[in-house]
Amino acid sequence: MALSAELKKTIQTAYSQFLENKSLKARYGQKLMVAEIARTLGGIELDDDGVRVGDNHICVVEAGTGTGKTVAYLLAAIPVAKALGKKLVVSTATVALQEQIVYKDLPDLKRQSGLHFNFALAKGRGRYLCLSKLDRILTDVDAANNSEKALYEDEYPQIDEQALTIYQSMMDALAANKWAGDKDEWSEELEPQVWSRVTTDHRQCTGRRCSNVSSCSFIKSRDSLGTFDVIVANHDLVLADLALGGGAILPDPADTLYVFDEGHHLPDKALNHFAEHSRLIGTLKWLEQTNKVQGAMLGEISGAGNIDRFAEQLPAALADVKRQLEMVYPMVTQLAERIEDPERSPRYRFEQGIVPDAMREVSVELKHTFERLAELLGKMTRELEEALESSHCDVPKVDMENWYPQLGVWQSRAEAGLALWASFAELDHKGGVPKARWITLVDFGGSIDYEICSSPILAAKTLEYSLWNRCCGAVVTSATLTALGKFDRLKMRTGTPEASTYTVVPSPFDFNKAQLQIPSTASDASDSLNHTLGIIDCLPALLGAQKAALVLFASRRQMLDVYDGLSIDWREQILVQGDKSKQEMLNAHRARIDGGETSILFGLASFAEGVDLPGGYCQHVIIAKIPFAVPDDPVEASLSEWIEARGGNPFMEITVPDAALKLVQACGRLLRTETDTGTITLLDNRLLTRRYGKAILNSLPPFKRLF
């Protein structure tokens, strides 16, 4: 089905009106992007029940900085979504872009385009206050502290006077209608520990059974989402909704058109979301603590339905899990002893994801014992839910509401343990994509704990099943989706269907305004010592009299070594990542430049993306080395191992494309507006001497080359 003439006219009229009202000229890349998205989404066919028919429903667009991506996809997608009777969910990777869309782009578009729509920002439950928890803390802090010990390990700190003052001010603000319970609208920065005590998750929340449901800011927000045409969310919230089956927090995928802005983050976000992990000693301590507390719990909520019958079985179920964990403990410690350099790389990775037979056998038992524990806690939770809804239960509702979140956390921990040990118990399908499995040494109150981890090595199948196959339509966009000029990397990592529309739209920038150089003094970065010494020698001459520069490093050690190797005069002009937060560094840098001073930023990977320093704030970007991935990342190492086992070349198929994409992102820090100029310097001569170097260089924008 083709884009209808009526819909095409609606989009064209809105675009023309927007440009005219803003006194802007149409950008070629933006026009192409609007057309491609409109053509793909406008071509979606629905059956009589409103269900999508066909597979050409996904549009992937790479559009560089300055294209006007946000306006392009909103102008194209909003009219199509309304015509199809679907919701538009715009998802970002960062809070900064989310806020820009909600507070700037959407209001601007609504005023200037003539389109009629409403919009809202969707947030997860963890961004909202739980009034029941706050009330309990202020009513009886000693009881709240005891419940903390039931929820967490013994080391969990108690609620202090400073935290109590904050909690009282929250209650006062709520009572005065000066705050609605949204964390992001609280006037001061909140420590994670302070906030975590007064928020909740889906397992701890009693939902509409809660005494405070009529005042619940999360419930109010979620209930109103269905009335909005456009919902702005983030990748984590979309993935959380999909993990709950879709439609639990956001609209059902079948009734949704998605736009994933900053789409290159989606595969990593998905991997993190679907990974499993659990700390061994922490879990043992939690089991002991739960066993101590469960008697007190039963003393307060005994008689709530049939909860007593299941609670009587709880000590034995906890003991069974503890016994199996104690059996696997020596196996884990023996494997951990094989870690060669715990300071540099505190991980033991199971080659090809294969767990030793003895450990796998115990994992099978752990799976069964955690399954029994999770099932038991689930039955207790359901009994409590029914009792909360009953008007004939003799147990005080306040006591049931106090214990419900703790039961929920216990159930969540049991389910997390079940998912992890089920992964270690199962054999990966022969010929299929294996999982990465590893052990990480972590600090636990001054001693060592062992975090057992499992993760898919690719998110493609999970996203294909839960998102691409189920959604009505989707757009994936970013300034960096291709690697080495192809979408192959994205397809492999996200599973976007082959039949999707894949487009690169041209940037409005004149890349000849940026000079690209590789000095003759640049050395081979694989020789880290000489490479570092070379950077120390050449950096003063490269920077010269320039007022503003960004120097990007691939490792913290090299960054600090270079800084220490420079003279005191140079060090006084440098802001080093790690001394302050990223935003504080950028603010200090801008203030220096505005004051006529010189300012040089030393940064790592997080400064190679999402840093906007237009005009005089950045005249020179210096990149120390090709940004190859850290070789000890267990997921990437397992992916490389799998590709090699299939006869592939992981370096050329994974490492080089990943590095090329990161280098494009790093170079993108220079030109931020159409009038920007400057220099990009690469200090790694492997770009000239190695076979892959030419491919990486050719994937960069057409800067004016000085070599």
Side-chain angles (χ1 to χ4, degrees), residues 24-54:
L24 296 171
K25 290 182 179 179
R27 298 172 184 174
Y28 180 58
Q30 190 179 58
K31 283 174 66 178
L32 281 181
M33 187 170 177
V34 171
E36 287 292 351
I37 293 172
R39 193 178 298 120
T40 301
L41 299 185
I44 293 171
E45 293 185 60
L46 305 180
D47 63 18
D48 293 340
D49 297 319
V51 177
R52 171 178 53 80
V53 179

PDB file of all heavy atoms in Angstrom, residues 24-54:
ATOM      1  N   LEU A  24      12.693  29.435   8.144  1.00  0.00           N
ATOM      2  CA  LEU A  24      13.770  28.496   7.828  1.00  0.00           C
ATOM      3  C   LEU A  24      13.668  28.038   6.378  1.00  0.00           C
ATOM      4  O   LEU A  24      12.588  28.061   5.778  1.00  0.00           O
ATOM      5  CB  LEU A  24      13.687  27.257   8.743  1.00  0.00           C
ATOM      6  CG  LEU A  24      13.886  27.482  10.242  1.00  0.00           C
ATOM      7  CD1 LEU A  24      13.564  26.199  11.005  1.00  0.00           C
ATOM      8  CD2 LEU A  24      15.318  27.925  10.539  1.00  0.00           C
ATOM      9  N   LYS A  25      14.791  27.599   5.838  1.00  0.00           N
ATOM     10  CA  LYS A  25      14.810  26.990   4.511  1.00  0.00           C
ATOM     11  C   LYS A  25      14.826  25.467   4.669  1.00  0.00           C
ATOM     12  O   LYS A  25      15.405  24.938   5.613  1.00  0.00           O
ATOM     13  CB  LYS A  25      16.051  27.439   3.734  1.00  0.00           C
ATOM     14  CG  LYS A  25      16.021  28.906   3.326  1.00  0.00           C
ATOM     15  CD  LYS A  25      17.262  29.268   2.516  1.00  0.00           C
ATOM     16  CE  LYS A  25      17.223  30.729   2.086  1.00  0.00           C
ATOM     17  NZ  LYS A  25      18.447  31.110   1.318  1.00  0.00           N
ATOM     18  N   ALA A  26      14.211  24.791   3.721  1.00  0.00           N
ATOM     19  CA  ALA A  26      14.192  23.329   3.770  1.00  0.00           C
ATOM     20  C   ALA A  26      15.607  22.780   3.599  1.00  0.00           C
ATOM     21  O   ALA A  26      16.369  23.269   2.769  1.00  0.00           O
ATOM     22  CB  ALA A  26      13.284  22.787   2.674  1.00  0.00           C
ATOM     23  N   ARG A  27      15.938  21.801   4.428  1.00  0.00           N
ATOM     24  CA  ARG A  27      17.229  21.125   4.296  1.00  0.00           C
ATOM     25  C   ARG A  27      17.015  19.857   3.480  1.00  0.00           C
ATOM     26  O   ARG A  27      16.079  19.089   3.753  1.00  0.00           O
ATOM     27  CB  ARG A  27      17.797  20.770   5.672  1.00  0.00           C
ATOM     28  CG  ARG A  27      18.082  21.983   6.545  1.00  0.00           C
ATOM     29  CD  ARG A  27      18.463  21.549   7.951  1.00  0.00           C
ATOM     30  NE  ARG A  27      18.653  22.699   8.824  1.00  0.00           N
ATOM     31  CZ  ARG A  27      18.884  22.606  10.124  1.00  0.00           C
ATOM     32  NH1 ARG A  27      18.928  21.415  10.698  1.00  0.00           N
ATOM     33  NH2 ARG A  27      19.052  23.687  10.851  1.00  0.00           N
ATOM     34  N   TYR A  28      17.904  19.610   2.544  1.00  0.00           N
ATOM     35  CA  TYR A  28      17.735  18.482   1.635  1.00  0.00           C
ATOM     36  C   TYR A  28      17.652  17.155   2.406  1.00  0.00           C
ATOM     37  O   TYR A  28      16.765  16.338   2.173  1.00  0.00           O
ATOM     38  CB  TYR A  28      18.888  18.455   0.633  1.00  0.00           C
ATOM     39  CG  TYR A  28      18.807  17.311  -0.356  1.00  0.00           C
ATOM     40  CD1 TYR A  28      17.703  17.145  -1.177  1.00  0.00           C
ATOM     41  CD2 TYR A  28      19.845  16.379  -0.444  1.00  0.00           C
ATOM     42  CE1 TYR A  28      17.622  16.086  -2.075  1.00  0.00           C
ATOM     43  CE2 TYR A  28      19.782  15.322  -1.338  1.00  0.00           C
ATOM     44  CZ  TYR A  28      18.665  15.178  -2.152  1.00  0.00           C
ATOM     45  OH  TYR A  28      18.597  14.137  -3.024  1.00  0.00           O
ATOM     46  N   GLY A  29      18.570  16.972   3.345  1.00  0.00           N
ATOM     47  CA  GLY A  29      18.588  15.729   4.128  1.00  0.00           C
ATOM     48  C   GLY A  29      17.329  15.563   4.948  1.00  0.00           C
ATOM     49  O   GLY A  29      16.787  14.458   5.065  1.00  0.00           O
ATOM     50  N   GLN A  30      16.843  16.660   5.502  1.00  0.00           N
ATOM     51  CA  GLN A  30      15.621  16.607   6.301  1.00  0.00           C
ATOM     52  C   GLN A  30      14.417  16.243   5.442  1.00  0.00           C
ATOM     53  O   GLN A  30      13.570  15.429   5.838  1.00  0.00           O
ATOM     54  CB  GLN A  30      15.402  17.956   6.990  1.00  0.00           C
ATOM     55  CG  GLN A  30      14.294  17.957   8.028  1.00  0.00           C
ATOM     56  CD  GLN A  30      14.149  19.309   8.696  1.00  0.00           C
ATOM     57  OE1 GLN A  30      13.917  20.316   8.024  1.00  0.00           O
ATOM     58  NE2 GLN A  30      14.293  19.339  10.017  1.00  0.00           N
ATOM     59  N   LYS A  31      14.333  16.838   4.237  1.00  0.00           N
ATOM     60  CA  LYS A  31      13.235  16.515   3.315  1.00  0.00           C
ATOM     61  C   LYS A  31      13.243  15.031   2.948  1.00  0.00           C
ATOM     62  O   LYS A  31      12.195  14.380   2.916  1.00  0.00           O
ATOM     63  CB  LYS A  31      13.352  17.358   2.040  1.00  0.00           C
ATOM     64  CG  LYS A  31      12.908  18.804   2.200  1.00  0.00           C
ATOM     65  CD  LYS A  31      13.176  19.619   0.944  1.00  0.00           C
ATOM     66  CE  LYS A  31      12.335  19.159  -0.235  1.00  0.00           C
ATOM     67  NZ  LYS A  31      12.581  19.993  -1.444  1.00  0.00           N
ATOM     68  N   LEU A  32      14.437  14.509   2.671  1.00  0.00           N
ATOM     69  CA  LEU A  32      14.556  13.080   2.338  1.00  0.00           C
ATOM     70  C   LEU A  32      14.111  12.205   3.501  1.00  0.00           C
ATOM     71  O   LEU A  32      13.439  11.187   3.311  1.00  0.00           O
ATOM     72  CB  LEU A  32      16.007  12.740   1.977  1.00  0.00           C
ATOM     73  CG  LEU A  32      16.494  13.094   0.574  1.00  0.00           C
ATOM     74  CD1 LEU A  32      17.948  12.655   0.403  1.00  0.00           C
ATOM     75  CD2 LEU A  32      15.630  12.421  -0.492  1.00  0.00           C
ATOM     76  N   MET A  33      14.494  12.621   4.707  1.00  0.00           N
ATOM     77  CA  MET A  33      14.145  11.840   5.890  1.00  0.00           C
ATOM     78  C   MET A  33      12.632  11.833   6.110  1.00  0.00           C
ATOM     79  O   MET A  33      12.042  10.773   6.383  1.00  0.00           O
ATOM     80  CB  MET A  33      14.860  12.414   7.118  1.00  0.00           C
ATOM     81  CG  MET A  33      14.705  11.573   8.372  1.00  0.00           C
ATOM     82  SD  MET A  33      15.805  12.150   9.687  1.00  0.00           S
ATOM     83  CE  MET A  33      15.323  11.050  11.024  1.00  0.00           C
ATOM     84  N   VAL A  34      12.002  12.989   5.980  1.00  0.00           N
ATOM     85  CA  VAL A  34      10.539  13.065   6.096  1.00  0.00           C
ATOM     86  C   VAL A  34       9.888  12.141   5.067  1.00  0.00           C
ATOM     87  O   VAL A  34       8.975  11.368   5.390  1.00  0.00           O
ATOM     88  CB  VAL A  34      10.048  14.521   5.894  1.00  0.00           C
ATOM     89  CG1 VAL A  34       8.520  14.554   5.791  1.00  0.00           C
ATOM     90  CG2 VAL A  34      10.519  15.415   7.026  1.00  0.00           C
ATOM     91  N   ALA A  35      10.389  12.192   3.831  1.00  0.00           N
ATOM     92  CA  ALA A  35       9.796  11.399   2.748  1.00  0.00           C
ATOM     93  C   ALA A  35       9.941   9.899   2.992  1.00  0.00           C
ATOM     94  O   ALA A  35       8.991   9.131   2.797  1.00  0.00           O
ATOM     95  CB  ALA A  35      10.441  11.785   1.417  1.00  0.00           C
ATOM     96  N   GLU A  36      11.121   9.461   3.415  1.00  0.00           N
ATOM     97  CA  GLU A  36      11.371   8.025   3.635  1.00  0.00           C
ATOM     98  C   GLU A  36      10.498   7.488   4.769  1.00  0.00           C
ATOM     99  O   GLU A  36       9.918   6.403   4.665  1.00  0.00           O
ATOM    100  CB  GLU A  36      12.849   7.774   3.955  1.00  0.00           C
ATOM    101  CG  GLU A  36      13.778   7.917   2.766  1.00  0.00           C
ATOM    102  CD  GLU A  36      13.576   6.829   1.709  1.00  0.00           C
ATOM    103  OE1 GLU A  36      12.833   5.864   1.966  1.00  0.00           O
ATOM    104  OE2 GLU A  36      14.153   6.953   0.623  1.00  0.00           O
ATOM    105  N   ILE A  37      10.423   8.245   5.870  1.00  0.00           N
ATOM    106  CA  ILE A  37       9.619   7.791   7.010  1.00  0.00           C
ATOM    107  C   ILE A  37       8.142   7.772   6.635  1.00  0.00           C
ATOM    108  O   ILE A  37       7.420   6.808   6.924  1.00  0.00           O
ATOM    109  CB  ILE A  37       9.868   8.694   8.237  1.00  0.00           C
ATOM    110  CG1 ILE A  37      11.310   8.521   8.732  1.00  0.00           C
ATOM    111  CG2 ILE A  37       8.887   8.369   9.367  1.00  0.00           C
ATOM    112  CD1 ILE A  37      11.727   9.503   9.808  1.00  0.00           C
ATOM    113  N   ALA A  38       7.681   8.841   5.969  1.00  0.00           N
ATOM    114  CA  ALA A  38       6.272   8.909   5.562  1.00  0.00           C
ATOM    115  C   ALA A  38       5.924   7.773   4.607  1.00  0.00           C
ATOM    116  O   ALA A  38       4.863   7.148   4.718  1.00  0.00           O
ATOM    117  CB  ALA A  38       5.984  10.262   4.911  1.00  0.00           C
ATOM    118  N   ARG A  39       6.847   7.487   3.666  1.00  0.00           N
ATOM    119  CA  ARG A  39       6.606   6.425   2.688  1.00  0.00           C
ATOM    120  C   ARG A  39       6.511   5.052   3.368  1.00  0.00           C
ATOM    121  O   ARG A  39       5.630   4.248   3.047  1.00  0.00           O
ATOM    122  CB  ARG A  39       7.730   6.426   1.648  1.00  0.00           C
ATOM    123  CG  ARG A  39       7.426   5.570   0.409  1.00  0.00           C
ATOM    124  CD  ARG A  39       8.559   5.659  -0.608  1.00  0.00           C
ATOM    125  NE  ARG A  39       8.734   7.028  -1.097  1.00  0.00           N
ATOM    126  CZ  ARG A  39       9.842   7.731  -0.969  1.00  0.00           C
ATOM    127  NH1 ARG A  39      10.896   7.227  -0.365  1.00  0.00           N
ATOM    128  NH2 ARG A  39       9.923   8.962  -1.446  1.00  0.00           N
ATOM    129  N   THR A  40       7.417   4.802   4.316  1.00  0.00           N
ATOM    130  CA  THR A  40       7.424   3.486   4.992  1.00  0.00           C
ATOM    131  C   THR A  40       6.226   3.333   5.921  1.00  0.00           C
ATOM    132  O   THR A  40       5.461   2.369   5.817  1.00  0.00           O
ATOM    133  CB  THR A  40       8.724   3.297   5.799  1.00  0.00           C
ATOM    134  OG1 THR A  40       9.838   3.398   4.918  1.00  0.00           O
ATOM    135  CG2 THR A  40       8.749   1.931   6.471  1.00  0.00           C
ATOM    136  N   LEU A  41       6.048   4.293   6.847  1.00  0.00           N
ATOM    137  CA  LEU A  41       4.954   4.168   7.820  1.00  0.00           C
ATOM    138  C   LEU A  41       3.598   4.361   7.155  1.00  0.00           C
ATOM    139  O   LEU A  41       2.611   3.705   7.524  1.00  0.00           O
ATOM    140  CB  LEU A  41       5.133   5.184   8.951  1.00  0.00           C
ATOM    141  CG  LEU A  41       6.421   5.070   9.793  1.00  0.00           C
ATOM    142  CD1 LEU A  41       6.385   6.065  10.950  1.00  0.00           C
ATOM    143  CD2 LEU A  41       6.620   3.652  10.326  1.00  0.00           C
ATOM    144  N   GLY A  42       3.564   5.253   6.163  1.00  0.00           N
ATOM    145  CA  GLY A  42       2.304   5.488   5.456  1.00  0.00           C
ATOM    146  C   GLY A  42       1.892   4.316   4.588  1.00  0.00           C
ATOM    147  O   GLY A  42       0.735   4.220   4.175  1.00  0.00           O
ATOM    148  N   GLY A  43       2.822   3.419   4.307  1.00  0.00           N
ATOM    149  CA  GLY A  43       2.519   2.236   3.502  1.00  0.00           C
ATOM    150  C   GLY A  43       2.064   1.039   4.320  1.00  0.00           C
ATOM    151  O   GLY A  43       1.777  -0.033   3.762  1.00  0.00           O
ATOM    152  N   ILE A  44       1.982   1.193   5.647  1.00  0.00           N
ATOM    153  CA  ILE A  44       1.540   0.087   6.511  1.00  0.00           C
ATOM    154  C   ILE A  44       0.052  -0.187   6.279  1.00  0.00           C
ATOM    155  O   ILE A  44      -0.774   0.731   6.276  1.00  0.00           O
ATOM    156  CB  ILE A  44       1.795   0.423   7.999  1.00  0.00           C
ATOM    157  CG1 ILE A  44       3.311   0.489   8.271  1.00  0.00           C
ATOM    158  CG2 ILE A  44       1.137  -0.603   8.918  1.00  0.00           C
ATOM    159  CD1 ILE A  44       3.665   1.033   9.644  1.00  0.00           C
ATOM    160  N   GLU A  45      -0.274  -1.450   6.073  1.00  0.00           N
ATOM    161  CA  GLU A  45      -1.667  -1.863   5.896  1.00  0.00           C
ATOM    162  C   GLU A  45      -2.187  -2.530   7.158  1.00  0.00           C
ATOM    163  O   GLU A  45      -1.463  -3.294   7.811  1.00  0.00           O
ATOM    164  CB  GLU A  45      -1.794  -2.845   4.729  1.00  0.00           C
ATOM    165  CG  GLU A  45      -1.511  -2.235   3.368  1.00  0.00           C
ATOM    166  CD  GLU A  45      -1.766  -3.235   2.249  1.00  0.00           C
ATOM    167  OE1 GLU A  45      -2.921  -3.699   2.128  1.00  0.00           O
ATOM    168  OE2 GLU A  45      -0.826  -3.552   1.507  1.00  0.00           O
ATOM    169  N   LEU A  46      -3.441  -2.262   7.508  1.00  0.00           N
ATOM    170  CA  LEU A  46      -4.090  -2.886   8.662  1.00  0.00           C
ATOM    171  C   LEU A  46      -5.276  -3.720   8.194  1.00  0.00           C
ATOM    172  O   LEU A  46      -5.949  -3.354   7.225  1.00  0.00           O
ATOM    173  CB  LEU A  46      -4.584  -1.815   9.646  1.00  0.00           C
ATOM    174  CG  LEU A  46      -3.556  -0.797  10.174  1.00  0.00           C
ATOM    175  CD1 LEU A  46      -4.238   0.181  11.124  1.00  0.00           C
ATOM    176  CD2 LEU A  46      -2.400  -1.501  10.877  1.00  0.00           C
ATOM    177  N   ASP A  47      -5.524  -4.836   8.901  1.00  0.00           N
ATOM    178  CA  ASP A  47      -6.713  -5.624   8.570  1.00  0.00           C
ATOM    179  C   ASP A  47      -7.935  -5.016   9.278  1.00  0.00           C
ATOM    180  O   ASP A  47      -7.849  -3.959   9.905  1.00  0.00           O
ATOM    181  CB  ASP A  47      -6.516  -7.102   8.933  1.00  0.00           C
ATOM    182  CG  ASP A  47      -6.311  -7.332  10.427  1.00  0.00           C
ATOM    183  OD1 ASP A  47      -6.643  -6.433  11.222  1.00  0.00           O
ATOM    184  OD2 ASP A  47      -5.812  -8.416  10.799  1.00  0.00           O
ATOM    185  N   ASP A  48      -9.052  -5.693   9.181  1.00  0.00           N
ATOM    186  CA  ASP A  48     -10.301  -5.153   9.747  1.00  0.00           C
ATOM    187  C   ASP A  48     -10.237  -4.983  11.260  1.00  0.00           C
ATOM    188  O   ASP A  48     -10.997  -4.197  11.847  1.00  0.00           O
ATOM    189  CB  ASP A  48     -11.482  -6.069   9.383  1.00  0.00           C
ATOM    190  CG  ASP A  48     -11.757  -6.058   7.886  1.00  0.00           C
ATOM    191  OD1 ASP A  48     -11.310  -5.097   7.227  1.00  0.00           O
ATOM    192  OD2 ASP A  48     -12.400  -7.002   7.394  1.00  0.00           O
ATOM    193  N   ASP A  49      -9.337  -5.728  11.904  1.00  0.00           N
ATOM    194  CA  ASP A  49      -9.185  -5.627  13.363  1.00  0.00           C
ATOM    195  C   ASP A  49      -8.106  -4.631  13.770  1.00  0.00           C
ATOM    196  O   ASP A  49      -7.765  -4.524  14.957  1.00  0.00           O
ATOM    197  CB  ASP A  49      -8.848  -7.003  13.952  1.00  0.00           C
ATOM    198  CG  ASP A  49      -9.968  -8.007  13.739  1.00  0.00           C
ATOM    199  OD1 ASP A  49     -11.144  -7.605  13.888  1.00  0.00           O
ATOM    200  OD2 ASP A  49      -9.672  -9.175  13.422  1.00  0.00           O
ATOM    201  N   GLY A  50      -7.540  -3.926  12.794  1.00  0.00           N
ATOM    202  CA  GLY A  50      -6.511  -2.942  13.103  1.00  0.00           C
ATOM    203  C   GLY A  50      -5.136  -3.526  13.313  1.00  0.00           C
ATOM    204  O   GLY A  50      -4.241  -2.866  13.858  1.00  0.00           O
ATOM    205  N   VAL A  51      -4.924  -4.780  12.855  1.00  0.00           N
ATOM    206  CA  VAL A  51      -3.632  -5.454  13.023  1.00  0.00           C
ATOM    207  C   VAL A  51      -2.819  -5.305  11.737  1.00  0.00           C
ATOM    208  O   VAL A  51      -3.356  -5.450  10.627  1.00  0.00           O
ATOM    209  CB  VAL A  51      -3.838  -6.954  13.349  1.00  0.00           C
ATOM    210  CG1 VAL A  51      -2.486  -7.669  13.459  1.00  0.00           C
ATOM    211  CG2 VAL A  51      -4.634  -7.109  14.630  1.00  0.00           C
ATOM    212  N   ARG A  52      -1.541  -5.024  11.900  1.00  0.00           N
ATOM    213  CA  ARG A  52      -0.678  -4.821  10.725  1.00  0.00           C
ATOM    214  C   ARG A  52      -0.613  -6.064   9.859  1.00  0.00           C
ATOM    215  O   ARG A  52      -0.514  -7.188  10.347  1.00  0.00           O
ATOM    216  CB  ARG A  52       0.738  -4.443  11.188  1.00  0.00           C
ATOM    217  CG  ARG A  52       1.767  -4.422  10.057  1.00  0.00           C
ATOM    218  CD  ARG A  52       3.131  -3.999  10.540  1.00  0.00           C
ATOM    219  NE  ARG A  52       3.612  -4.757  11.663  1.00  0.00           N
ATOM    220  CZ  ARG A  52       4.159  -5.971  11.594  1.00  0.00           C
ATOM    221  NH1 ARG A  52       4.249  -6.584  10.419  1.00  0.00           N
ATOM    222  NH2 ARG A  52       4.584  -6.579  12.675  1.00  0.00           N
ATOM    223  N   VAL A  53      -0.598  -5.832   8.538  1.00  0.00           N
ATOM    224  CA  VAL A  53      -0.431  -6.898   7.552  1.00  0.00           C
ATOM    225  C   VAL A  53       0.842  -6.599   6.758  1.00  0.00           C
ATOM    226  O   VAL A  53       1.051  -5.470   6.318  1.00  0.00           O
ATOM    227  CB  VAL A  53      -1.638  -6.964   6.592  1.00  0.00           C
ATOM    228  CG1 VAL A  53      -1.437  -8.062   5.549  1.00  0.00           C
ATOM    229  CG2 VAL A  53      -2.931  -7.173   7.364  1.00  0.00           C
ATOM    230  N   GLY A  54       1.716  -7.571   6.588  1.00  0.00           N
ATOM    231  CA  GLY A  54       2.950  -7.357   5.830  1.00  0.00           C
ATOM    232  C   GLY A  54       4.132  -7.022   6.723  1.00  0.00           C
ATOM    233  O   GLY A  54       3.985  -6.811   7.932  1.00  0.00           O
TER     234      GLY A  54
END
